[in-house]
Amino acid sequence: MVRWRAGVVAALRRRWTGAVELDVELTDGTSMRALAYPELVGEPEPGDRVLLNAGALLMRLGTGGYALVVAVPDRLPPDPPQALDSRDAGHLVKARYTPLQPILLGVDEEASPYREVLAAAEDLGGLPVVTADLHSALPAILAGIRADAPHARVAYLLTDGGALPAWFSRTLAGLRDELVGTISVGQAFGGDLEASTLHSGLLAARYVLHADVAVVAQGPGNLGTGTRWGFSGVAVGEAVNAIAALGGRPIGSLRISDADPRPRHRGVSHHSLTSYGRVALARADLVVPDGLDPTLTAEVDAALAPLADRHTLVRVDDAGLDAALRRSPVPLSTMGRGLDADHAYFLAAAAAGRYAARLTSTTPPPPAAP
């Protein structure tokens, strides 16, 4: 459960959209690096007393090396300016029934200016949607899109398998100028738009953000137990089903690697094989780049052969993709490995982005809002 710590803010460190790093001196004389979300707990300042949830940090889990600020108890933030005794400012409750549950305006609820258009929306009209099981694929997918469609409008849907606050992701903060918007779905929050489900989030990407391409992936800090089914990214298969149910074009970004030290993730990761081979009931386009090492290509082909009847396997040329990846406005890193250390992983994600970009020319624009 929660491992509480109390301390005093010694210094403020880096800051990015929605988050600020702190050095905190604890009551026992030790120190911790902590992360605060000002929209939840207010703006901490040096000298403030803070309460921390330090459990994941002490266990060395995937929290980016942070304790998390739960409260600045001696200087609470003011109430939001909107009246909280009505639903005029929204009534979506996320991170529900946890102590820090935020109440937000849902993109399709009654008080939303987009209520009418989304209430009438039923179909994505063939919108290409790239699905990935790791947050680290997002900038590589975007690099692949930009290689062929530099002006495409790209929306990102943050699912709730990893970090719930969009603010946790420095990658996402660095990509703000590359995206027409982020939609946080399910229990995730902190995006430009809030949606209660992936389905409503996809419709918002199409009819509110007018995206040409969408990307669906969980936030950083995914949950995994090392088993076939115990991984939050398995929900990628459910995303394929949602996209297809709404008339979109699901495009699978495969997790491919010849650098991961774990055998279950070499070639095509068992997580991709489970998500697309067992969970996804609808057909998707699974993308493989042409430029893989021949030995790795043989491994990938053998792993994907059983999926050929369920999905369409697509080969995409990789010309120019390495250069596009190196132009990424944010660092590329997966499981601590950068572009050169795990080139196949990022190349596969970029190839999925390129394929999606090439489909935009065949996707009709959404109708004008009423």
Side-chain angles (χ1 to χ4, degrees), residues 307-331:
L307 277 62
D309 291 337
R310 300 172 61 101
H311 301 292
T312 302
L313 305 183
V314 180
R315 295 281 183 182
V316 171
D317 67 276
D318 70 332
L321 289 183
D322 177 77
L325 288 165
R326 295 185 189 280
R327 291 193 298 269
S328 172
V330 298

Side-chain angles (χ1 to χ4, degrees), residues 153-158 172 175-184 191-193 205 209 211 213 215:
R153 296 175 61 83
V154 184
Y156 169 51
L157 289 98
L158 172 74
L172 191 53
L175 292 175
R176 286 184 67 85
D177 292 340
E178 299 292 324
L179 299 167
V180 293
T182 293
I183 305 170
S184 34
D192 301 292
L193 299 173
L209 297 180
V213 182
V215 180

Side-chain angles (χ1 to χ4, degrees), residues 69-349:
V69 176
V70 179
V72 184
D74 300 326
R75 194 165 50 80
L76 298 177
D79 286 346
Q82 303 92 343
L84 296 181
D85 55 354
S86 74
R87 297 187 176 195
D88 292 345
H91 77 288
L92 287 196
V93 181
K94 296 200 174 186
R96 288 186 282 279
Y97 300 102
T98 64
L100 291 178
Q101 61 181 19
I103 301 177
L104 305 156
L105 177 64
V107 67
D108 60 348
E109 67 171 298
E110 293 87 341
S112 169
Y114 310 112
R115 166 72 171 195
E116 184 177 352
V117 66
L118 289 179
E122 292 287 344
D123 192 278
L124 292 174
L127 178 71
V129 184
V130 183
T131 59
D133 67 358
L134 291 179
H135 189 68
S136 57
L138 174 62
I141 293 168
L142 190 58
I145 294 170
R146 292 282 176 251
D148 284 17
H151 304 297
R153 296 175 61 83
V154 184
Y156 169 51
L157 289 98
L158 172 74
T159 61
D160 55 14
L164 296 186
W167 311 312
F168 184 76
S169 174
R170 292 196 299 273
T171 294
L172 191 53
L175 292 175
R176 286 184 67 85
D177 292 340
E178 299 292 324
L179 299 167
V180 293
T182 293
I183 305 170
S184 34
V185 306
Q187 298 283 350
F189 58 93
D192 301 292
L193 299 173
E194 302 288 346
S196 54
T197 68
L198 179 56
H199 299 75
S200 59
L202 287 165
L203 292 169
R206 179 75 166 137
Y207 294 100
V208 175
L209 297 180
H210 300 285
D212 301 311
V213 182
V215 180
V216 176
Q218 62 182 339
N222 55 273
L223 178 64
T225 63
T227 63
R228 176 185 295 276
W229 296 105
F231 172 57
S232 53
V234 167
V236 162
E238 300 290 4
V240 168
N241 298 335
I243 296 160
L246 291 172
R249 183 77 176 265
I251 300 164
S253 174
L254 295 168
R255 187 171 166 185
I256 294 174
S257 177
D258 58 1
D260 199 303
R262 298 165 293 180
R264 65 184 186 273
H265 293 306
R266 295 180 70 86
V268 182
S269 168
H270 74 120
H271 289 321
S272 286
L273 297 176
T274 299
S275 299
Y276 297 114
R278 299 285 299 277
V279 181
L281 303 179
R283 197 170 192 87
D285 297 330
L286 304 184
V287 179
V288 179
D290 275 339
L292 299 177
D293 175 84
T295 301
L296 179 58
T297 296
E299 290 182 45
V300 169
D301 288 346
L304 293 177
L307 277 62
D309 291 337
R310 300 172 61 101
H311 301 292
T312 302
L313 305 183
V314 180
R315 295 281 183 182
V316 171
D317 67 276
D318 70 332
L321 289 183
D322 177 77
L325 288 165
R326 295 185 189 280
R327 291 193 298 269
S328 172
V330 298
L332 300 175
S333 179
T334 185
M335 304 295 171
R337 299 185 297 273
L339 174 60
D340 291 321
D342 204 345
H343 196 265
Y345 170 81
F346 296 106
L347 189 65

